[in-house]
Amino acid sequence: MDQRMSAVDWALLVVLSTVWGGSFFFFEVALDTLPPFTVVLGRVGIAAVVLLVLARARGERLPTAPRVLAGYLLLGATSNALPFSLIVWGQTQIPSGLASILNAMTPVFAVLVGLLIGREERLTPARAAGVALGFAGVAVLMGPDLLRRLDPYSLGQLAVLGAACSYGFAVHIGRRFGGATPLVNAAYMLTASTLLLLPVTLIVDQPWTLTPGVSGWTALLGLSLLCTAFAYLLYFRILASAGATNMSLVTFLVPVSAISLGALFLGERLGPTAFAGLGIIFTGLAVMDGRAADWLRRRLAG
């Protein structure tokens, strides 16, 4: 059962949303000097080493069963390797703030995936309305041009939506890993992602020929140490103290920080349709979440 959030929980949630929102900013900076697969490999690879060392130092029990390790490959693919790659490539075509808005569709896709593969999921009126509003927001964001032609800008948006869909699958796949600690799950998931991305990056990007420079290395370290390793530790801390339902509030906060960072440091300016789409998507997420409606009913009843 989810607890009432303390002031510390709220503060940590804001920090986490800022850190995860910062990943879109760091992606944009890294892409100035590095190709997409190298950026993603750097993010998951460095973070995997850090978390594996931390898990070993804390004496965590590390799984070795082949079936469990295969499961981590699937989790790593849907949680990191595929969605990170799609987001990074998408950001070669669209602003970081817009990518963060489209990524907020993750809970909507999680509901749809749950209806397809979940045994206990059911389509309530609130969920149906939330899903409909979410896709209405996407339609406003992408506009009618998508129906007439597929240009690089539209493909970039579709790539980030594909990442949100992959995260939707990862939400349900991740529920199977309750036997290990959260730290071990994160470390193994990132290690699996690294193994999946390594051959692709070596073949496509040939990273030994690249010269990322100071900005590229700084962005990679920010992505791996701050936005991945530290963010996962912070995520599990909030999850333990505030619960999963309260943790979902981060979905509302990440686009705010990503848009702010993009405007302040990258000079990005999103148009009215982007903010209109964001408002509609947020409304859909709030409807699915249900707490705003419960609060309103209590106020009316009281």
Side-chain angles (χ1 to χ4, degrees), residues 110-299:
V111 169
L112 293 177
V113 171
L115 294 173
L116 289 174
I117 66 176
R119 297 180 179 179
E120 299 178 359
E121 301 285 347
R122 59 189 182 91
L123 187 62
T124 64
R127 285 180 174 176
V131 169
L133 284 168
F135 281 102
V138 170
V140 170
L141 272 173
M142 302 185 71
D145 287 344
L146 180 63
L147 300 176
R148 293 194 290 265
R149 68 179 186 275
L150 276 178
D151 56 17
Y153 195 84
S154 298
L155 289 173
Q157 294 179 85
L158 289 174
V160 179
L161 276 179
C165 182
S166 182
Y167 284 137
F169 279 94
V171 167
H172 296 278
I173 294 171
R175 293 176 179 175
R176 305 173 185 175
F177 294 86
T181 65
L183 174 58
V184 170
N185 283 336
Y188 268 51
M189 175 185 67
L190 289 166
T191 302
S193 304
T194 302
L195 294 175
L196 292 170
L197 286 163
L198 185 59
V200 178
T201 305
L202 293 176
I203 293 170
V204 176
D205 290 349
Q206 298 181 352
W208 60 88
T209 65
L210 304 173
T211 53
V214 175
S215 63
W217 280 112
T218 302
L220 279 182
L221 291 175
L223 281 167
S224 58
L225 301 180
L226 185 64
C227 302
T228 308
F230 171 72
Y232 273 120
L233 296 176
L234 193 58
Y235 169 83
F236 292 128
R237 158 68 173 81
I238 301 171
L239 193 64
S241 62
T245 302
N246 289 323
M247 185 67 239
S248 67
L249 291 171
V250 76
T251 307
F252 295 88
L253 300 175
V254 167
V256 176
S257 60
I259 292 170
S260 300
L261 289 169
L264 287 173
F265 299 105
L266 302 174
E268 295 179 352
R269 296 293 183 268
L270 300 181
T273 55
F275 289 102
L278 174 63
I280 297 171
I281 292 172
F282 273 12
T283 302
L285 296 179
V287 169
M288 284 197 303
D289 182 70
R291 276 175 288 188
D294 289 340
W295 177 84
L296 181 60
R297 279 194 294 267
R298 288 197 299 270
R299 291 299 297 268

Side-chain angles (χ1 to χ4, degrees), residues 55-72:
R56 175 65 71 178
R58 293 179 56 176
E60 299 276 4
R61 180 178 174 272
L62 302 179
T64 56
R67 182 178 177 182
V68 175
L69 298 180
Y72 279 115

Side-chain angles (χ1 to χ4, degrees), residues 43-123:
R43 176 180 185 176
V44 299
I46 298 172
V49 171
V50 171
L51 293 183
L52 281 173
V53 170
L54 181 59
R56 175 65 71 178
R58 293 179 56 176
E60 299 276 4
R61 180 178 174 272
L62 302 179
T64 56
R67 182 178 177 182
V68 175
L69 298 180
Y72 279 115
L73 286 173
L74 180 60
L75 182 62
T78 55
S79 292
N80 301 135
L82 179 59
F84 286 178
S85 299
L86 288 171
I87 290 172
V88 172
W89 183 85
Q91 283 191 226
T92 64
Q93 310 298 324
I94 65 174
S96 61
L98 179 57
S100 70
I101 294 174
L102 292 166
N103 191 61
M105 283 288 290
T106 294
V108 174
F109 282 111
V111 169
L112 293 177
V113 171
L115 294 173
L116 289 174
I117 66 176
R119 297 180 179 179
E120 299 178 359
E121 301 285 347
R122 59 189 182 91
L123 187 62

Side-chain angles (χ1 to χ4, degrees), residues 7-17 234 237-238 241:
V8 173
D9 291 330
W10 277 110
L12 293 177
L13 193 70
V14 171
V15 171
L16 179 61
S17 68
L234 193 58
R237 158 68 173 81
I238 301 171
S241 62

